[in-house]
Every structure is written in C-alpha cells, then in structure tokens.
Amino acid sequence: MSKRLIIIGGVAAGMSAAVRARRTNPDLEIVVYEKSGYISYGACGFPYFIKGEIPRIEDLIARTPADMAAQGICAKVHHAVTALDPARKTARVLDRQSGVEFDDHWDRLIIAAGAYVQKPPIPGLGLAGVFTLRTVEDALAIRDWLVGERPRRGVILGASYTGLEMAEALAANGIAVTLVDAAQQVMPNLDGEIAAHVRAGLEAQGVTVYLGQWVRTLLGPALADDIAHRVAARLQAPLDSVALNGDGRLRVREVVTGEGSVPADIVIVGVGGRPNVALAQAAGITIGQTGAIAVDRQQRTNLPDIWAAGAAAETWSLVTGAPTYHPGALTANRQGRVAGANAAGGTVEFGGVAGSSIIKAFDMTISHTGLSERQARALGLDAAGVVIRGVSKAGYMPGGAPIQVKLVYEPGSGRVLGAQIVGTDGVGKRIDVVAAALRAGWTVEELAQVDTAYSPPYGAVWDPLVAAANEASQSRVRRPAPADRQPA
C-alpha cells in the first residue's frame, strides 16, 4: 500500500515539497491543504501588481490545483488544517467554503504553514481601508481599493521590506505616503549609518518618515460626520464626503501616534511576519529559540514522520552555525525541496543561509547579507566595519550613480561577517559576491583578491566592494596588538 503525505500550506515551501516528493517517490500519495484560495504564487511580486507594473494577478501564479493534479498531486484550496494528532497521525481539516470538518490520515507530514502578519494591538485595525499584505486576496483587495476609492493619503505602519516596497507602490498611484515606525531607524537589519542613507533617499522621493513613534489608534470619521452621512442617506441626499465603505464599515480617516495624527485614506500594516507555529506547538512539536519550528538539517521536527519548512521553520546561519530565522522566498523553496525529498524516503540536507536580501524602493536598491555590525556584536562577536562610498561606473562615464558599501568583519581572524550595499546600479551583483564569500568562509584578504570584471560602463577599476575589503585588510594591519603582546 502506498504511503500518504499531507502537506500543510501550498505556497513556496509547500509546493516545492510536493513536487520534490513526487519526483523522489512516484508512488507516494500527496495531498496539499491551503487555507487561501490560491497555491504556488509569487508573493514578492504583490507590490508591483499593486503599483500597476504587473497588470494581472494571474501573472504571479505559477501553478493551479489543476496543474498539480496533472502531476498526481491533490491540492485543495480553502482548506485549513485546524488540529493535529501525532499519535493517531490525523489532521483535522476545515473546508472553509462549505463549513464541513473532517479528519484525514497521514503517514508523513510536512508543515509549511508560512507566517502571518502580526497585527499590533491598535484600536481601529478593523476599519475599511486598512490592509495587510500576505495573500493573493490581500493584494487584490488593496488594488480594488486603489481603483475604486482613489485614496490620496496613505500611511504605512512599519519601515521594513514590505513598508518600503509599498511606499513606492502607493506613490506610483498618486498617493502621498507617510511611513511610521516605532523603531529609531528604517530597516532594522541595517546598521545605523546605512539606514540613515536609506531614509534620506525615501525623503528625497517625497515620503514622510516618522520614526520612534508608537501608533495609538486608527480613527474613522468623526461622530458628527457619521451622523450627517446616515441622515443624508435616509433623505437620499448626496454627500461629497462619504464616511462609510460599501459594506457599511466606517472608513479609516487618520492614524494617531504619540506625537500627533496623520490623515489617511488607506493604511498598510507592514510590521513584519511571525512564524505560524500555533498548530505545531499544540501538537507537541518543539519551537526553537527564534520562535519558529525547530528542525534538523533534514528539516525533521522532534516528532517522527513530521518535517517543517519555509517561513514556519527555523534554518541555520552560515556565519554563526546557530539556528536563525530567515523567511525568504529562496530559503522556503530550498527547505521545501529538502523536506519533500526526505518525507518521500530520501536523505538530503539543507545547506544553511547567509541571510541575503535585496529590495527596490523608488530609485534605490537596498541589500544586505550575513550580519550587520550591530547584530554581530549583540551575538558576542568581535566585529568591525568599513564604509566605502564609490560610484557604479568609471568616474568619466556618464550616468554613474553613488554606491555605498559597508563590509563587516572580525578584526582578529579577518573573517567576513556580512555586508550592506545601497545604490541605484550594480548592487545585486556585489551583494551576491559577499554571499558567496560567506559560504566559503573567506577573510577580507581573500575577498580583496577577487578578480572582478571591469569595464567603464559597469564600475571602477577598483570596485567599491574590493576597495572595502582592502580597507578592512589595512585596518587589521594597523590594529594594535593585544596588551599581552605589546613589545617591552
């Protein structure tokens, strides 16, 4: 009798696991349960769909349930797994459209439940015009609001990846954008001097940035406006200012912080995701120190025949060797492949992550990999950093743009710990070089010897990344010896 594999979650990790499991074991019975209405979609493309750069949401959907059925994989959308019984190997499943609940049996299980948007405890998040961005349905709802309501003022809660990308998307729709964050800088994975450069770039594009401000509440129309609207509606009189959305909910009008209020016709809650572990935790699966599901390098959990992958699971850092949480798309796909192969009878290991990320915000490209100097020191590492300000092309070439590189390293060993690069051109290729250096365990001296490709339209003879590695190498030479090694 063939074994039955159930996969919880049908996006990046879940579908990669399903496809890899099918290739590993053609006889395996595979069922995927996805609580939303779509599988296998490119969530990273949502801001560009909302911006209008991608015209159809279908362009972001790689596979449908029908596509998976053709590969012998049963993918059920609108189906939420609500409980697990590891002893009986059963999953309680809710058909969200019919309301019917049933139990399904598994021989092997993969949890790829992803992450959820952590909504802060702020009154008013239920107002019409307030959105999170996680699923296809979320992206469609935001796009419909932009087209139907024509908002003029937008507030984004959170100045991290989603926040910066959505700032560009809203601005492209003619919306005045304000970013609000309780942190003291944008993008917490960056060091302060690089984050300040990013903030300046946002403000140069007309984005208002409020940092160090806690949001107290979101407000809809004033009571008088609401009463006036209801009276006018009964009299069938037109109103220039409509206080209610089409479904009868009050619409958002302003965001109140500890230092004042900001008008808003649309609010995006982009405060970051949290691993979706409630189901696993209730079933007795160990949750790691990062808050995600603890797994070994084969993506196994502590319970037999259960694996986890993607944004619900921990991974491990190439820099520290310790568990870390990095819910990127590539990480999810790679972890899913490993989990799928092993659940189908294989023996594959996940190779760890450097923690690389890159985003576009207006004309800026912002990237980082490995550890920031602040993160390294918080982990107890002896860390230093050098910052190089260069240009993306040879100085005499037209069209060259500034590029800023921060290279983080261990002064004693010279080991590369990470980098942050911001610019408008050539950022991606440079951060990928550092990501490769982290996997190889290079020192700054080894990075300085990289034979970078040179042509005036693509960079200077001394590439800014190589210049940063040279500066770090020289800093190590100039560094005073420890006290016990000082000459007599």
Side-chain angles (χ1 to χ4, degrees):
M1 181 181 294
S2 63
K3 298 292 186 179
R4 183 175 178 85
L5 168 64
I6 289 180
I7 300 174
I8 303 172
V11 194
M15 298 317 302
S16 291
V19 172
R20 186 60 180 267
R22 168 57 65 237
R23 291 175 179 169
T24 304
N25 186 348
D27 297 324
L28 192 64
E29 187 179 358
I30 304 172
V31 179
V32 181
Y33 289 117
E34 167 57 41
K35 65 181 180 180
S36 77
Y38 300 86
I39 62 167
S40 195
Y41 53 82
C44 297
F46 288 161
Y48 307 102
F49 166 72
I50 293 165
K51 179 182 177 182
E53 192 171 338
I54 297 173
R56 304 183 318 129
I57 197 68
E58 290 80 9
D59 295 333
L60 299 178
I61 299 171
R63 299 183 182 95
T64 67
D67 295 329
M68 301 314 299
Q71 298 183 48
I73 297 168
C74 177
K76 293 181 176 291
V77 295
H78 299 298
H79 280 67
V81 177
T82 60
L84 296 173
D85 186 339
R88 296 175 56 229
K89 288 192 172 182
T90 59
R92 188 69 172 168
V93 185
L94 169 66
D95 183 334
R96 301 179 70 187
Q97 290 184 312
S98 68
V100 173
E101 287 188 283
F102 59 93
D103 289 330
D104 196 0
H105 176 269
W106 46 268
D107 297 294
R108 283 92 184 258
L109 176 73
I110 297 175
I111 301 174
Y116 66 94
V117 177
Q118 183 184 38
K119 292 184 179 180
I122 300 172
L125 289 181
L127 291 167
V130 180
F131 301 94
T132 57
L133 182 57
R134 199 79 197 171
T135 66
V136 171
E137 289 88 347
D138 293 336
L140 287 168
I142 295 172
R143 187 66 192 158
D144 287 346
W145 186 266
L146 295 182
V147 172
E149 302 296 332
R150 301 290 182 184
R152 296 180 295 109
R153 301 160 301 184
V155 176
I156 299 171
L157 310 184
S160 193
Y161 301 103
T162 299
L164 268 61
E165 291 176 330
M166 284 303 298
E168 178 182 343
L170 295 187
N173 282 274
I175 298 171
V177 178
T178 299
L179 275 169
V180 180
D181 202 304
Q184 297 297 324
Q185 68 172 60
V186 301
M187 299 195 70
N189 285 335
L190 303 180
D191 284 315
E193 65 270 45
I194 305 299
H197 183 72
V198 174
R199 176 180 181 172
L202 292 169
E203 292 175 333
Q205 294 290 335
V207 177
T208 301
V209 181
Y210 292 141
L211 299 175
Q213 296 196 24
W214 290 92
V215 175
R216 291 184 173 179
T217 186
L218 307 184
L219 296 180
L223 181 60
D225 289 343
D226 186 23
I227 294 172
H229 173 76
R230 292 175 186 272
V231 170
R234 289 189 178 185
L235 296 174
Q236 296 184 343
L239 270 182
D240 292 331
S241 177
V242 179
L244 298 177
N245 188 38
D247 61 5
R249 288 187 297 153
L250 290 175
R251 299 192 309 184
V252 68
R253 283 288 181 83
E254 59 184 308
V255 175
V256 180
T257 74
E259 300 185 20
S261 65
V262 184
D265 307 309
I266 182 172
V267 173
I268 306 295
V269 182
V271 293
R274 293 292 183 271
N276 195 358
V277 299
L279 186 68
Q281 193 167 27
I285 295 171
T286 299
I287 306 303
Q289 62 190 33
T290 68
I293 297 171
V295 292
D296 65 12
R297 297 195 180 186
Q298 292 189 352
Q299 303 301 133
R300 293 179 182 272
T301 70
N302 63 301
L303 296 185
D305 298 322
I306 301 179
W307 293 257
E314 288 185 335
T315 181
W316 64 276
S317 167
L318 290 170
V319 182
T320 67
T324 189
Y325 184 61
H326 182 69
L330 183 57
T331 301
N333 278 281
R334 284 177 168 165
Q335 285 187 319
R337 286 167 60 88
V338 171
N342 293 332
T347 54
V348 182
E349 290 194 353
F350 182 70
V353 298
S356 306
S357 296
I358 187 168
I359 68 165
K360 178 181 180 296
F362 298 94
D363 62 348
M364 287 186 298
T365 302
I366 307 150
S367 68
H368 74 88
T369 190
L371 302 176
S372 68
E373 186 176 356
R374 183 181 68 253
Q375 289 169 334
R377 290 182 174 177
L379 292 171
L381 297 175
D382 181 19
V386 297
V387 177
I388 293 293
R389 294 172 176 85
V391 291
S392 61
K393 300 181 180 182
Y396 51 79
M397 288 295 295
I403 188 167
Q404 187 161 267
V405 177
K406 179 166 185 179
L407 185 64
V408 182
Y409 63 100
E410 277 184 328
S413 67
R415 182 169 66 112
V416 176
L417 297 178
Q420 301 145 62
I421 307 178
V422 179
T424 60
D425 187 25
V427 171
K429 78 161 189 169
R430 292 176 172 91
I431 204 68
D432 286 345
V433 172
V434 184
L438 292 173
R439 178 161 290 279
W442 281 358
T443 63
V444 290
E445 286 81 9
E446 289 171 314
L447 181 57
Q449 295 301 316
V450 170
D451 185 18
T452 54
Y454 164 67
S455 180
Y458 301 104
V461 173
W462 288 103
D463 187 88
L465 179 58
V466 173
N470 277 325
E471 176 61 28
S473 300
Q474 291 302 309
S475 295
R476 293 187 64 225
V477 171
R478 295 192 297 266
R479 192 186 195 210
D484 60 353
R485 294 188 186 177
Q486 292 289 349

